[in-house]
Amino acid sequence: MSSTEAAANPAEGASGPVPATRPARQNSLSAETLQALEKRLAQRPDRQELQDRNILKEGNIAPALQAAREQLQRSQLEDKLDQALLHRPKPEELVKSGILMPEEAPASA
């Protein structure tokens, strides 16, 4: 085949005609395996049930972003707790206001 003939018929390669479509894929699973898989898929819980059981997180964000979102929420909660601990009253103030008895107060360092 000359180069002009190959250019005129691009479906033919150096080894002959190239099929226009791919052959159908053959299933590598047995009928028994397919039936078992279909049965399991039919028994699979729906999205709402998985959310109720805390397996899936609620919300319509991508799973890749869920971890970042949870980390951000945890970080914000840690910051809030740190601030609350900084502003809590000292044991001496609690004794003065009658909330703690003097013997209940931790020893001052």
Side-chain angles (χ1 to χ4, degrees):
M1 175 186 301
S2 69
S3 61
T4 55
E5 289 176 27
N9 192 355
E12 288 188 10
S15 62
V18 176
T21 60
R22 291 185 172 184
R25 278 180 72 169
Q26 292 202 355
N27 197 349
S28 62
L29 301 174
S30 69
E32 185 177 300
T33 304
L34 282 173
Q35 188 177 25
L37 284 172
E38 297 223 359
K39 181 180 175 186
R40 293 267 174 120
L41 284 173
Q43 295 174 346
R44 186 169 74 171
D46 66 348
R47 180 179 198 85
Q48 185 60 45
E49 183 179 342
L50 292 174
Q51 287 176 347
D52 292 344
R53 293 170 48 193
N54 289 323
I55 295 171
L56 279 180
K57 303 293 181 195
E58 291 187 29
N60 293 332
I61 64 171
L65 297 177
Q66 283 181 353
R69 177 180 164 197
E70 288 177 17
Q71 182 64 33
L72 175 63
Q73 288 175 333
R74 182 180 173 100
S75 177
Q76 289 173 335
L77 186 61
E78 287 174 0
D79 291 344
K80 186 177 178 180
L81 179 61
D82 286 342
Q83 288 299 315
L85 288 174
L86 287 175
H87 292 90
R88 74 177 181 177
K90 306 270 187 263
E92 298 82 25
E93 294 172 17
L94 296 174
V95 170
K96 284 181 189 175
S97 58
I99 296 173
L100 283 180
M101 301 296 286
E103 58 270 4
E104 296 175 332
S108 298

